[in-house]
Amino acid sequence: MSGGLQVVDPALWVHRGAAPPMPTFHRHDDLEINVVLSGGLDYLFGGTRVHVPAGSTAVFWAAAPHRLLGRDPQQRSDVCWVHVPLTAVLQWSLPEAFTTQVLGHRTVVVPTRAVGSHVPALFEDWSRDLAAGADTGPMLLEANALVLRILGRTEDGPERARTDLRPVARMASWIAEHFREPVTTADVARSANLNPNYATTLFRQSVGVSLGEQLVRHRVAEAQRLLLTTTLTTAAVAHAAGFGSQSSLYAHFGRACGCSPGAYRDSRASTGALTRRAR
């Protein structure tokens, strides 16, 4: 897998290389897998620092604002990266406990050797197949299997789950599919056959955010994608991402990203980020 950023199929983004400079927090609505071959990674998730040493694999939902910290230039990292959209992940066969861990923004870190020596070669295969325009279906199945193997090496696996989390997963999946539409709490609760008040409580207890906050996360992530990959006006982006108005986009986007949509587009375009996330 060669270095440098690349544009690939919307269902899967794969890259190998050093950790990119990340002076500010960012977010994107994908399950992210990092296989650290050398150098190590240091993340900030909000105010929490997470270290991923060389020889380790990390999995997390990248909709949580995160930032890579700078490292000594002599400790240059070599990392295999993959992003899988949450809409695809929620269709996988995953234990309910893990789904909730991911939606709750937990970072899972395990030794790569415990997952399998084939993992770096798997990324090489994906990169080659994507460059050749191959069907991503088999690659997503392999990614599903990889995540299951990672889960199997964690200390708090699904057998410890005491709550039926299927309604939470159903609501999360429904939001991921319908966030562009006018949506109410009652609509989301109905997707899991729950009372709205109970659905709201269950989701917050399991995931750590409200149903409304989950909707906003998806809409902000979609607005980010549209700003980077299209020339739509901010008004059109607001409509396409599910915000009811341009003012609503500006309010939520500013709180989540710390800048206006226009400033976000300009800053990313000037650094070449546009080619990275065209999906």
Side-chain angles (χ1 to χ4, degrees):
M1 191 180 303
S2 61
L5 301 174
Q6 49 188 306
V7 178
V8 296
D9 189 280
L12 197 65
W13 180 85
V14 178
H15 172 65
R16 177 173 174 179
M22 194 177 292
T24 60
F25 286 88
H26 83 147
R27 57 198 292 174
H28 46 95
D29 204 20
D30 307 300
L31 183 73
E32 181 165 336
I33 305 171
N34 301 161
V35 179
V36 183
L37 303 176
S38 64
L41 299 175
D42 286 293
Y43 278 104
L44 274 181
F45 288 88
T48 302
R49 185 166 181 156
V50 176
H51 178 60
V52 187
S56 297
T57 294
V59 179
F60 60 92
W61 183 27
H66 59 285
R67 175 189 169 196
L68 276 169
L69 300 177
R71 297 189 59 81
D72 185 335
Q74 301 302 316
Q75 299 293 323
R76 183 175 175 82
S77 59
D78 184 12
V79 183
C80 296
W81 316 78
V82 64
H83 298 172
V84 185
L86 185 66
T87 49
V89 173
L90 291 173
Q91 297 176 34
W92 286 357
S93 172
L94 289 175
E96 297 158 16
F98 181 70
T99 301
T100 299
Q101 288 170 5
V102 170
L103 293 176
H105 301 303
R106 177 179 175 229
T107 303
V108 177
V109 181
V110 300
T112 302
R113 65 176 181 276
V115 181
S117 59
H118 70 293
V119 172
L122 188 60
F123 279 73
E124 297 283 355
D125 291 342
W126 290 344
S127 181
R128 183 183 61 252
D129 291 346
L130 286 168
D135 178 18
T136 56
M139 290 177 258
L140 289 172
L141 288 174
E142 291 171 338
N144 185 356
L146 174 60
V147 171
L148 284 170
R149 289 175 68 87
I150 293 169
L151 173 61
R153 302 304 184 271
T154 61
E155 295 180 355
D156 52 348
E159 67 279 357
R160 298 193 180 187
R162 295 184 174 88
T163 304
D164 182 0
L165 301 174
R166 285 173 293 184
V168 175
R170 281 198 294 270
M171 287 188 286
S173 180
W174 193 91
I175 290 172
E177 293 177 6
H178 297 276
F179 68 88
R180 298 175 184 85
E181 307 164 11
V183 171
T184 66
T185 297
D187 294 330
V188 181
R190 194 178 302 113
S191 71
N193 296 316
L194 296 177
N195 172 276
N197 290 334
Y198 177 69
T200 299
T201 300
L202 177 64
F203 197 88
R204 181 180 285 279
Q205 288 177 344
S206 301
V207 179
V209 298
S210 70
L211 292 170
E213 289 169 328
Q214 185 80 344
L215 273 167
V216 169
R217 284 177 171 175
H218 280 280
R219 288 169 176 166
V220 168
E222 177 68 357
Q224 288 177 310
R225 185 187 72 82
L226 293 171
L227 288 166
L228 296 185
T229 62
T230 75
T231 58
L232 291 174
T233 65
T234 52
V237 167
H239 175 75
F243 291 101
S245 65
Q246 188 172 350
S247 61
S248 179
L249 166 66
Y250 270 82
H252 289 295
F253 198 94
R255 281 194 290 269
C257 304
C259 64
S260 70
Y264 179 86
R265 170 180 272 164
D266 292 343
S267 65
R268 297 313 188 275
S270 64
T271 58
L274 195 62
T275 60
R276 178 180 182 272
R277 296 295 300 168
R279 299 178 11 146

